Amino acid sequence: MSHFLQNVERVANRLPHPMALFVYLCVIVFGVSALGQLQNWQAQHPTTGDWLTVKSLASEQGLIFIFSSMVKNFMGFAPVGPVVIMALAFSLAERSGLLPALIAKLTLNTPASLLAIAVAFLGVMSSIAVDSGYVVLLPLCAAVFLAAGRHPLAGLALGFACVSGGFSANLLVGPVDAMLSGISSEALSLVTEQPVSILANYYFMVVSVFLVVLVCVSVNRFWVEPYLLKTSPISQLSFVSADTQTASHFGKWFYGTLICIVAAWLVLTLPSDAILRNEQGGLLKGPFMASLVVMIALSVAVLATVYGLENRRFANWQTWVETLEQGIKDIAPYLVLMFVVAQFIAWFKWSELGIVLAIHLAGVLQDFAISGTFALVALMVFSAVLNLFIGSASAKWGLLAPVVIPAFYILGVEAPAVQGAYRVADSSTNIITPLMPYFPLVLAYGLKYEKHLSVGRLLTIMLPYAVALFLIWGSLLVLWYGFDWPLGPSDSK
C-alpha cells in the first residue's frame, strides 16, 4: 500500500498549484461557455420544463457580469466569512494558551487507544452544525494528535475524512436531512403525492455513524498513518510546540464566564419561544443555524480573552489586537485562493454550464437504469464522479432528484433508497476533489506542519479513506436494500 500511495502521489503532484488550477478552470469555463453558446447547447429542466441554454462569458453580457460581480462574488462566497470569523476566535484561543491547555487535558484524559475513535466520532457528528466542523474541529484534530505524540497530518486527515466523508451520517436529525428530503419530496410529487419524510434515512444513517467511524479509524491506523510516518517523520515536520506549562490555570473568572456563556446559549435556544427559534419553534431552519458560527466564535473568543487575562498572556489592548491580526495572517494564503475559487464558481453558474451538464448526465443515468440494485449502484458511481466536478450537495440533488427519483420509482425503487444512495456517494468523494470549497482550507491547515504539502500529496493521503468509504458504505446500502430493511421510520420498503 505504501508503494502504491507513493506512485499515486508522484502522479498527483503533477497537478498545478491550487491557484493555477482554478485560474486554468476559469479560462476553460470562459472558452467552453463561448463554444456552448455558439453550438446552442441546451437542456430541459426536469421540473419546470424550461429550456436552459449555455451563455457565453465572452459576450457583452458575460463580460459585464465578470467585471461587475468580481467583488461581490468574493465577498459573498459562503466559505470565506465563517473561516475568517473562526480564524480570529481560534487565534485568541491558541495564543492565550487556552487551546494548548485544553488539548493537553484532552490527551491526558483520553486513552491513546481511544483518541482516534474520539476524533472520528466528533468529526462525523459535526455535520449537525453544518460546515462548522471544517473550521472548528479540523485544526484541533491535528493538534490533539501532535500533543499525543502522533503524526498531526494523520489527525487532520482522519478529521477531514469523518467531517466531510461522513457528512451525511449522524445520530441526530439535522439540516442535511431537512434539505435533501425537501428536494426529494418535490421530485416525488411528479409521480405521486407521497412526501419524503425528514426521517426517511434515519435508521440507515444511525448505523452509518458507527460504520464510518470504524472504516476511517481502520484506514488511518493501517494505511495512512504508517505511510505518513514513512514519508514525513514527525522529526522532520515544521511546527511550534504548544506551551502548556506557562499558562494552564483555569481560574474562577474563566469558570464564571463559561457558566454565563452556557446559560446564554440555553436562554437563546431552550425555551419554546426563544429568540433563536423559528416561527414554528424549531432550531433546524431559522436564526439558530444562521447564527451558529458566530455564536461559537464569540464564545471561544470571550473564553480565550478571559483565560489570557487571568494568565497574563494579554497584557494590554495592543497584544490582544496583534493576536487577532496574526489570525488573519495565518489564513492569508487561503483568502487569496478563495478569490479565484469564488470567480470560477460564479462563472460556472452564470454560464449555465453546470446545470446543463448535470441534466444531461442525469439523463444518461436514467437511460441505463435496468434493475433496482443496478440502478442504485449506477447512481452511486455517477454521483461520486459528478461530485468531483460540482461541489454543492443540495445543488446536485436539486438537479438529479427530479430525474432519478421518478425514474427509479417507476422501476420500483422507493425515494428513500435513491436519496440514501446519493448521500453515500456524495459524501465519500468529498475528500478527494480540489474543487470542494473547504479542500484548500484543509491544505492550509496541513501546511502548518509540512511546509511543502501539495495538492497531490493531500489527495493521496485522502484517497484510501474515499475508496474504503465508497466501497464499504455503498455495500451496506446495497445489502440493506437487498434485505428490504426499512431505511427510516417513514420508509415503506
Side-chain angles (χ1 to χ4, degrees):
M1 176 58 69
S2 177
H3 178 69
F4 170 74
L5 291 178
Q6 286 179 326
N7 289 332
V8 171
E9 182 176 339
R10 278 193 291 269
V11 174
N13 276 335
R14 296 178 181 177
L15 288 171
H17 186 278
M19 174 68 78
L21 177 65
F22 280 99
V23 169
Y24 297 154
L25 288 173
C26 286
V27 173
I28 291 172
V29 168
F30 186 89
V32 173
S33 68
L35 178 62
Q37 179 172 299
L38 183 65
Q39 298 292 329
N40 196 32
W41 292 351
Q42 293 181 325
Q44 188 174 23
H45 198 287
T47 303
T48 64
D50 296 335
W51 281 95
L52 306 173
T53 305
V54 172
K55 298 183 292 184
S56 172
L57 287 162
S59 65
E60 180 179 349
Q61 293 82 2
L63 292 174
I64 292 175
F65 169 78
I66 289 174
F67 295 122
S68 64
S69 66
M70 195 168 288
V71 174
K72 182 176 68 175
N73 294 340
F74 176 63
M75 298 303 295
F77 193 45
V80 172
V83 170
V84 172
I85 292 173
M86 285 297 180
L88 293 172
F90 277 86
S91 179
L92 291 173
E94 183 176 359
R95 289 167 177 81
S96 68
L98 174 60
L99 186 58
L102 290 176
I103 290 172
K105 287 186 177 295
L106 178 62
T107 52
L108 288 174
N109 296 327
T110 303
S113 59
L114 298 179
L115 182 62
I117 295 176
V119 166
F121 180 75
L122 289 174
V124 174
M125 292 298 294
S126 70
S127 65
I128 196 67
V130 196
D131 293 340
S132 300
Y134 292 103
V135 293
V136 176
L137 186 62
L138 294 190
L140 294 180
C141 293
V144 166
F145 262 58
L146 179 61
R150 299 178 63 175
H151 203 293
L153 292 187
L156 178 64
L158 178 60
F160 185 31
C162 293
V163 170
S164 192
F167 187 76
S168 283
N170 211 293
L171 298 180
L172 304 174
V173 178
V176 177
D177 301 276
M179 173 184 65
L180 296 181
S181 63
I183 297 173
S184 299
S185 295
E186 290 294 326
L188 190 59
S189 66
L190 297 175
V191 290
T192 179
E193 294 301 322
Q194 180 182 356
V196 179
S197 169
I198 193 174
L199 299 172
N201 297 139
Y202 182 69
Y203 295 158
F204 178 73
M205 289 306 164
V206 167
V207 175
S208 296
V209 169
F210 302 101
L211 178 73
V212 170
V213 170
L214 177 62
V215 169
C216 290
V217 169
S218 299
V219 169
N220 188 78
R221 169 67 179 83
F222 295 107
W223 284 285
V224 172
E225 193 161 13
Y227 172 71
L228 287 170
L229 290 172
K230 180 179 180 180
T231 56
S232 61
I234 297 178
S235 59
Q236 296 180 6
L237 298 180
S238 173
F239 58 87
V240 178
S241 300
D243 181 7
T244 59
Q245 302 299 323
T246 303
S248 58
H249 175 65
F250 295 90
K252 61 181 180 179
W253 286 105
F254 176 83
Y255 286 112
T257 303
L258 179 61
I259 292 172
C260 290
I261 290 175
V262 172
W265 276 72
L266 295 176
V267 169
L268 292 171
T269 59
L270 197 57
S272 58
D273 59 346
I275 295 175
L276 294 182
R277 289 184 177 269
N278 57 31
E279 296 178 355
Q280 292 75 36
L283 289 173
L284 293 181
K285 294 183 178 180
F288 174 71
M289 296 308 301
S291 309
L292 186 59
V293 170
V294 173
M295 290 175 63
I296 293 174
L298 286 176
S299 300
V300 171
V302 172
L303 283 172
T305 300
V306 172
Y307 183 88
L309 290 172
E310 276 192 323
N311 291 278
R312 299 183 180 180
R313 288 293 184 95
F314 297 141
N316 48 48
W317 275 102
Q318 182 177 353
T319 306
W320 189 80
V321 172
E322 288 176 350
T323 300
L324 294 175
E325 292 172 350
Q326 185 61 46
I328 298 298
K329 291 179 182 178
D330 291 342
I331 62 167
Y334 172 77
L335 294 178
V336 172
L337 177 60
M338 284 301 100
F339 177 79
V340 182
V341 175
Q343 307 313 318
F344 164 72
I345 293 177
W347 293 10
F348 200 57
K349 181 179 180 180
W350 183 90
S351 67
E352 305 281 16
L353 271 173
I355 187 171
V356 170
L357 174 64
I359 291 173
H360 279 293
L361 291 177
V364 172
L365 176 65
Q366 183 181 7
D367 292 338
F368 281 94
I370 300 174
S371 65
T373 302
F374 178 83
L376 289 177
V377 173
L379 175 60
M380 285 191 287
V381 173
F382 173 79
S383 300
V385 174
L386 185 61
N387 191 39
L388 300 177
F389 304 98
I390 304 176
S392 172
S394 59
K396 287 196 301 293
W397 190 232
L399 296 171
L400 291 175
V403 175
V404 297
I405 282 188
F408 283 40
Y409 182 82
I410 295 172
L411 291 172
V413 183
E414 298 289 341
V418 182
Q419 179 179 281
Y422 170 76
R423 294 176 70 167
V424 168
D426 182 71
S427 295
S428 299
T429 54
N430 274 338
I431 53 181
I432 55 170
T433 170
L435 303 186
M436 200 266 279
Y438 287 105
F439 191 92
L441 179 64
V442 179
L443 184 64
Y445 290 150
L447 286 169
K448 179 179 179 180
Y449 303 98
E450 189 175 309
K451 287 187 176 181
H452 302 293
L453 182 67
S454 62
V455 172
R457 179 163 173 78
L458 183 55
L459 287 174
T460 303
I461 294 170
M462 301 312 302
L463 182 61
Y465 296 106
V467 173
L469 283 173
F470 182 80
L471 294 178
I472 299 175
W473 199 4
S475 297
L476 176 65
L477 179 70
V478 172
L479 182 69
W480 203 292
Y481 177 79
F483 279 100
D484 204 29
W485 295 335
L487 290 162
S490 64
D491 184 14
S492 60
K493 286 289 293 176

